[in-house]
Amino acid sequence: MKTITSFSKALQLSVLSLLMLASTSCKKTADANPEETPFTSLVKGDATLTSGVRTSGPWELGIVFNSSVAGKITKVGSKMPEPGSYRVIIWDNDTKAVLRQKTIEQSSPDVLTMEPIDALTVPVNKKYVISINSQSGGTNKKYGYVYKTGGGDFLPVNKGSILVLNSCYQSVATATFPSAAQNVKYEFYGFPEFAFVAD
């Protein structure tokens, strides 16, 4: 009888341990930091901003940003007015080095299309540029731009963990850091997008 009681207690302890482990695993998943898409949040969350479309090009259209917390960029994306294959690049703002590059196949007009990348570790307050080229398959495509209704600067602005600092651009079809016009605070262009997950 003593053997059965010992076995019963051991079984109860095993079941209790498994339940505790399962509840801990669920808690970790529930506590995971959400994915942030800052430019989409900015456009959707600010009623004072207006969107337009332009037809010149080609352009390397960039947005300068940093993060208030450490984290990772796990995806990049495209939301252009016309379908196409768009090159998206994340640059180191200081060295102008390409850190990640991905071609996004956007099949629907003006619909955000995201693709995974090798995660890019983002420290606090380090400046990056994400850019998109407005040419697809050798053809200049329309590109969107966002501005404040009535004019004026609206950048820099905080969106979640990300500080959107300013825009920049360059008239070029090749992968070139967009430095012809920098520190533009009254518009941003494209637009490219990224997914950021805080640590």
Side-chain angles (χ1 to χ4, degrees), residues 59-62 87 89 131-133 168-170 172 174 176 178:
W59 297 100
E60 191 74 26
L61 304 162
R87 185 187 65 239
I89 300 176
S131 68
I132 189 166
N133 198 274
C168 52
Y169 57 85
Q170 178 112 2
V172 65
T174 57
T176 305

Side-chain angles (χ1 to χ4, degrees), residues 79-122:
K79 186 176 185 278
M80 298 291 271
E82 296 181 284
S85 298
Y86 295 103
R87 185 187 65 239
V88 177
I89 300 176
I90 300 175
W91 309 82
D92 182 301
N93 186 67
D94 298 323
T95 67
K96 318 300 189 245
V98 173
L99 302 175
R100 298 291 185 276
Q101 180 172 321
K102 184 89 172 184
T103 298
I104 305 296
E105 300 294 334
Q106 183 184 319
S107 58
S108 299
D110 209 31
V111 173
L112 180 62
T113 304
M114 300 289 282
E115 292 286 340
I117 59 169
D118 291 339
L120 175 64
T121 300
V122 175

Side-chain angles (χ1 to χ4, degrees), residues 31-80:
D31 289 346
N33 288 324
E35 187 177 86
E36 300 177 45
T37 48
F39 309 133
T40 303
S41 297
L42 175 58
V43 172
K44 287 183 177 177
D46 190 337
T48 69
L49 297 180
T50 302
S51 297
V53 174
R54 293 186 177 131
T55 56
S56 62
W59 297 100
E60 191 74 26
L61 304 162
I63 304 171
V64 183
F65 66 93
N66 66 19
S67 177
S68 60
V69 298
K72 290 179 180 58
I73 294 175
T74 59
K75 298 176 188 171
V76 294
S78 163
K79 186 176 185 278
M80 298 291 271

